[in-house]
Amino acid sequence: MSQLLQQLQTRLSSPLLTGTDISARYQHDWSSEPVGMPIAVARPGTTEEVSVIMKLCSQFGQQVVVQGGLSGLCGGGNPRGQELAISMERMSGIEEIDSASMTMTVKAGTPLQVIQEAAAAQGFVFPLDLGARGTCNIGGNISTNAGGNQVLRFGMTRNLVLGLEAVLADGTVISSMNKMLKNNAAYDLKQLFIGTEGTLGIVTRTVLRLFPKALSRCSALLAVTEFPKIIELLHKVTRDFSGSLSAFEVMWHSYYHFITDNVKGIISPLGERHPLYVLVELEGGDQERDQLLFENCLGDAIEQGIVTDAVVASSQREREGFWKIRDGVAEIGQFIRNTANFDISVPISVMHEFLDSIESELVAKVPAAKMLVFGHIADSNLHIICYTGRREDIKTMYGIVYSIVGRFHGSVSAEHGIGVQKLNYLHYSRSPAELALMQTLKEALDPQGLLNSGRVLPK
Ligand SMILES: Cc1cc2nc3c(=O)[nH]c(=O)nc-3n(C[C@H](O)[C@H](O)[C@H](O)COP(=O)(O)OP(=O)(O)OC[C@H]3O[C@@H](n4cnc5c(N)ncnc54)[C@H](O)[C@@H]3O)c2cc1C
């Protein structure tokens, strides 16, 4: 065992994992990006232990990879050979719920679902929500600035973080555990660690915003004939629900029918087939009043020819049935392999033209390519799954789609991050000056390139 590992072994409260003790779960996230074996897995139990690890790694010039719940989709948490993996799994737990301030203080390794449930038990909601809720950790959510289903109303993770504690590459602990919404006392340092995917520091604790739990929820699945009507519908529900619109998920027919035709137990509640489907939800404070408002608005939309068919959920079970179609994406891997998965954003005003360009360029260059499309739309986010079934086509499809994203001034990552997967495509969304400033920040905070090296930025 090397000198570094020996010192870590004596200074940490939990033994290092090495050799065959490193189980498969520490070796990869949900992406199919390359993996390597870490030299060891350290599992710190406190911020002080994270600091000890980084002080020693700094002394020995040892590179590390930080691991949260490893539900990431861009390979950021995948160890490369010769790195020390730092798993945050033992730093889990809720430290405080401050009802008066509507905040929760938690350790970074706490699973998102545990946070959601603890908030709900006190009559609050922590509104970050994504399919990987049971697996992902809040530290991973913060580091990737995760989006999810409720961005439209509550913003990305960045908007939900009030305070944060992080350990720098040299082991320095930066504690900004602020509880106030307003705090302009100079630089907002927590932003350095939100969405930077562990390249500038290791998030160890955080203060999160809580919101009062909604007392009403109305849901419907709608059918629409063409994209301009989706925009009309979005504007109408935003206006009519006066701030209570909580979900607006659009599914193109390719995606919707793939799920409802193939996935066992998922059935379309609409009789006919349509070009586009929208799952729309309102959350408010009075079920009876809100239901009336909701149904009146959708009734108008049908009369005005914006919506062609609609099913309003009359029970929680029906509502869950709508969401199963939207969340059915997690089942796609059973049916198709070798997919190129895109998590991109483009201005909604050009979204239709953008999709047309992808379709025509893909058909021209990769004739066998098929596309499944769905997205959060109101926040400009589209998810596109392209596939031919052949592994060798994936790179070509990435190249085609990302260059079109660049042409339409979109983002190569709306919410999943860059990791190692999109490193070579970042220039489509960021200028040389922006990339140079990112590199300057990285070099200032981590001059030896120890933290998550080769993720997000080349060094
Ligand atoms: C079924 C499914 C659905 C998903 N849906 C969504 C969605 O709707 N929206 C969305 O945004 N994402 C989604 N994701 C992607 C993923 O869940 C998110 O990116 C999540 O935030 C990752 O959290 P994690 O704890 O699993 O992080 P990991 O995968 O462990 O790590 C992700 C990155 O963050 C770094 N990191 C982790 N913890 C820390 C820490 N404490 N300090 C510093 N760096 C750290 C890692 O090094 C890595 O670079 C989904 C994934 C799956 C599998």
Side-chain angles (χ1 to χ4, degrees):
M1 192 177 268
S2 73
Q3 221 186 331
L4 166 69
L5 295 190
Q6 274 173 15
Q7 292 206 27
L8 285 171
Q9 196 72 284
T10 53
R11 304 273 306 267
L12 301 179
S13 59
S14 170
L16 288 177
L17 303 178
T18 53
T20 50
D21 287 341
I22 303 176
S23 64
R25 74 193 184 91
Y26 299 105
Q27 292 173 31
H28 62 87
D29 64 10
W30 276 53
S31 71
S32 45
E33 293 306 315
V35 294
M37 197 64 177
I39 55 163
V41 180
R43 294 172 300 151
T46 60
T47 302
E48 291 66 37
E49 289 193 0
V50 177
S51 170
V52 165
I53 295 172
M54 289 318 302
K55 278 186 181 145
L56 285 170
C57 286
S58 199
Q59 193 185 322
F60 285 89
Q62 174 62 51
Q63 293 190 324
V64 304
V65 58
V66 190
Q67 300 186 331
L70 285 169
S71 68
L73 298 169
C74 303
N78 287 0
R80 306 189 307 172
Q82 301 310 308
E83 283 177 332
L84 173 76
I86 302 177
S87 167
M88 301 303 284
E89 66 190 353
R90 289 182 62 242
M91 291 191 62
S92 175
I94 291 156
E95 294 181 356
E96 183 200 34
I97 294 182
D98 178 342
S99 303
S101 308
M102 295 212 287
T103 61
M104 187 192 286
T105 304
V106 296
K107 293 181 186 147
T110 313
L112 174 59
Q113 193 168 344
V114 170
I115 293 170
Q116 290 174 334
E117 287 170 2
Q122 304 271 335
F124 293 110
V125 65
F126 178 62
L128 177 66
D129 190 35
L130 35 133
R133 62 185 75 76
T135 317
C136 61
N137 296 174
I138 193 65
N141 301 144
I142 291 172
S143 307
T144 55
N145 187 26
N149 303 329
Q150 305 220 67
V151 170
L152 170 60
R153 190 152 177 209
F154 296 100
M156 308 275 284
T157 302
R158 190 184 301 286
N159 297 55
L160 306 172
V161 175
L162 289 174
L164 188 148
E165 179 184 85
V167 173
L168 301 183
D170 65 1
T172 307
V173 178
I174 299 289
S175 194
S176 296
M177 295 292 278
N178 166 70
K179 277 191 176 180
M180 299 156 301
L181 192 55
K182 281 191 171 175
N183 182 349
N184 273 352
Y187 293 4
D188 186 1
L189 294 174
K190 67 176 181 288
Q191 302 299 347
L192 287 170
F193 310 105
I194 305 177
T196 48
E197 301 180 49
T199 57
L200 301 183
I202 303 175
V203 179
T204 48
R205 293 164 69 228
T206 181
V207 181
L208 303 170
R209 286 175 78 184
L210 301 178
F211 296 82
K213 197 147 85 181
L215 301 175
S216 73
R217 180 178 276 153
C218 312
S219 314
L221 189 71
L222 313 175
V224 176
T225 51
E226 55 187 9
F227 191 77
K229 289 196 192 294
I230 295 279
I231 300 181
E232 250 186 277
L233 179 65
L234 175 61
H235 290 176
K236 181 170 175 51
V237 292
T238 308
R239 195 178 49 240
D240 291 7
F241 297 172
S242 24
S244 301
L245 176 66
S246 59
F248 193 89
E249 299 288 321
V250 179
M251 293 167 272
W252 272 253
H253 61 95
S254 54
Y255 171 81
Y256 186 95
H257 297 141
F258 188 94
I259 299 295
T260 53
D261 289 348
N262 292 300
V263 183
K264 223 168 144 196
I266 301 188
I267 299 157
S268 173
L270 294 159
E272 311 264 312
R273 290 191 171 229
H274 302 273
L276 291 155
Y277 299 86
V278 186
L279 200 176
V280 66
E281 281 194 345
L282 172 161
E283 280 184 358
D286 181 329
Q287 189 66 43
E288 211 174 307
R289 187 193 62 204
D290 294 336
Q291 193 75 31
L292 194 66
L293 175 80
F294 187 71
E295 290 183 16
N296 282 345
C297 167
L298 298 185
D300 273 2
I302 292 174
E303 258 176 43
Q304 291 165 10
I306 304 171
V307 166
T308 45
D309 201 358
V311 186
V312 174
S314 58
S315 65
Q316 176 63 11
R317 196 151 166 249
E318 278 182 20
R319 173 181 180 266
E320 282 166 10
F322 299 165
W323 276 103
K324 270 190 187 165
I325 305 175
R326 167 61 185 78
D327 290 339
V329 58
E331 311 294 331
I332 282 177
Q334 295 173 42
F335 308 99
I336 359 169
R337 290 196 180 275
N338 301 321
T339 54
N341 302 320
F342 298 94
D343 147 52
I344 52 186
S345 55
V346 282
I348 195 163
S349 52
V350 297
M351 207 172 258
H352 188 47
E353 200 189 328
F354 166 79
L355 284 171
D356 281 350
S357 299
I358 293 181
E359 202 160 1
S360 56
E361 287 187 41
L362 267 184
V363 167
K365 293 179 184 151
V366 189
K370 292 194 181 117
M371 269 166 77
L372 307 179
V373 186
F374 61 99
H376 311 290
I377 302 299
D379 48 35
S380 313
N381 187 184
L382 278 177
H383 294 294
I384 306 176
I385 299 170
C386 294
Y387 63 100
T388 60
R390 286 158 35 97
R391 193 169 177 75
E392 50 274 40
D393 292 329
I394 296 180
K395 213 168 164 200
T396 316
M397 294 192 286
Y398 276 138
I400 295 169
V401 174
Y402 286 132
S403 72
I404 301 173
V405 170
R407 254 179 18 233
F408 280 82
H409 307 292
S411 172
V412 295
S413 172
E415 56 178 11
H416 296 163
I418 301 300
V420 291
Q421 192 182 66
K422 295 172 206 157
L423 203 65
N424 294 332
Y425 307 106
L426 191 51
H427 68 279
Y428 286 123
S429 299
R430 295 297 197 178
S431 67
E434 286 176 303
L435 291 170
L437 180 55
M438 289 181 202
Q439 198 67 56
T440 303
L441 276 173
K442 172 73 178 164
E443 280 159 23
L445 284 164
D446 181 14
Q448 293 186 82
L450 302 181
L451 284 169
N452 279 7
S453 170
R455 284 87 175 171
V456 186
L457 298 168
K459 288 188 273 173

